[in-house]
Amino acid sequence: MNQARRGVRCGLDPRVDAVVPTTGNRDRELAAAISELKLVKDEWEIAQLQDAIDATVRGFEDVARVVPADRGVSERLIEGVFGLRARHDGNDVGYGSIVCAGPHATILCWKRNDGLTVPGQLLLMDMGIENNHLYTADVTRTLPVSGTFSPLQREVYDIVYASHQAGMEAIKPGVKVADVHLTCMRVLAEGLAELGVLRVSADEAMDPASMLYRRWTLHSFGHMLGIDVHDCAAARPDHYREGELSAGNVLTVEPGLYFQPEDDMVPAELRGVGIRLEDDILVTAEGAVNLSVGLPRRAEEVEAWLATQRDAGPRLP
Ligand code: GLY
Ligand code: MN
Ligand code: MN
């Protein structure tokens, strides 16, 4: 039995639980050890992630081809089109597709997907394909349904883009994970101050005693990625969230800004706007490589890519 206690995780499979007594801390220790072993990806794993990400890029292209500029389509049509690509080019989606028309983008992990796109509004899609070895991508893009961002949408998009860019530029071996987070959040806080939404300075909002900016940023800058979408989640804090990056880590960078439809602290025209940008980043000896570079990031590149996909028209895998 001691052998079994050293070699299994409880709480995952009732058949295993039935023959292994509750082991308290030992389960947590094993989960932590497995998570920590997964932190640095080898070449084969990186190739699997790239395979999943490349399929995900094709899935986003498929979707952009079926979202018209001038009328609504259902979030579930988008989920279905992406799901077809996932089943054809990989094993499945790596997590339930998050397809957010307009204000649904302000609800994190919106998976009900029962809304309709609206010309003039934004479409946030957080989707990832799991390849046949079960490694998953995790990518988010926010598109202007009508084809071009309105000036206000563009202003918010550019803040999120700047945060995303700053986060990616900060990534290299030896950098603290928490510092990448602070880098992304500072750019968001400065953008919120410039928008006039933050009624204190970015410095005051970044003070740990305040963190007022978090009303509109809602989540951390990202997480490790691999065979799980939130990979290595059981790692001890000093090996992960409070630790430093190492070559071979693969992690997301995914800052966002979210203005709830009923948020009376922001101007009416911002209410219901939610924007996130998420890419999958490999830490290398020299710095970082964006594995999901196959999708555009800058606002004008997103607009041009959307137009190209629409011109090309729908396609089957
Ligand atoms: N798709 C889940 C996440 O971005 O963490
Ligand atoms: Mn993510
Ligand atoms: Mn995501």
Side-chain angles (χ1 to χ4, degrees), residues 297-313:
R297 293 191 304 122
R298 277 184 195 280
E300 60 273 18
E301 291 168 359
V302 169
E303 291 171 348
W305 170 86
L306 181 55
T308 303
Q309 299 305 322
R310 283 173 164 162
D311 284 349

Side-chain angles (χ1 to χ4, degrees), residues 154-202:
R154 174 70 190 257
E155 209 176 336
V156 180
Y157 189 95
D158 286 348
I159 295 168
V160 174
Y161 173 85
S163 169
H164 189 260
Q165 182 67 23
M168 293 205 304
E169 285 173 5
I171 289 178
K172 60 180 178 192
V175 166
K176 287 194 168 103
V177 173
D179 285 345
V180 182
H181 177 74
L182 288 176
T183 298
C184 289
M185 295 303 126
R186 171 159 287 280
V187 176
L188 294 179
E190 285 168 356
L192 286 165
E194 272 163 36
L195 273 177
V197 167
L198 258 187
R199 295 173 196 176
V200 297
S201 70

Side-chain angles (χ1 to χ4, degrees), residues 19 22 46 57 61 78 93 106 115 125 151 185 241 257 292 309:
V19 294
T22 307
I46 293 163
V57 170
E61 291 169 354
I78 294 166
V93 289
T106 65
M125 296 173 290
M185 295 303 126
R241 288 281 173 197
L257 285 175
S292 42
Q309 299 305 322

Side-chain angles (χ1 to χ4, degrees), residues 215-255:
R215 181 180 176 94
W216 301 287
T217 60
L218 299 191
H219 54 78
S220 85
F221 86 97
H223 52 84
M224 296 292 171
L225 185 69
I227 207 158
D228 287 326
V229 63
H230 294 158
D231 210 35
C232 313
R236 288 167 291 177
D238 55 334
H239 286 63
Y240 179 4
R241 288 281 173 197
E242 295 165 15
E244 293 175 357
L245 293 170
S246 303
N249 291 156
V250 176
L251 71 165
T252 68
V253 176
E254 52 176 303

Side-chain angles (χ1 to χ4, degrees), residues 45-69:
E45 291 179 289
I46 293 163
Q48 301 316 311
L49 282 161
Q50 189 67 69
D51 180 46
I53 292 162
D54 291 347
T56 298
V57 170
R58 293 191 286 278
F60 271 82
E61 291 169 354
D62 295 341
V63 164
R65 290 165 182 233
V66 299
V67 176

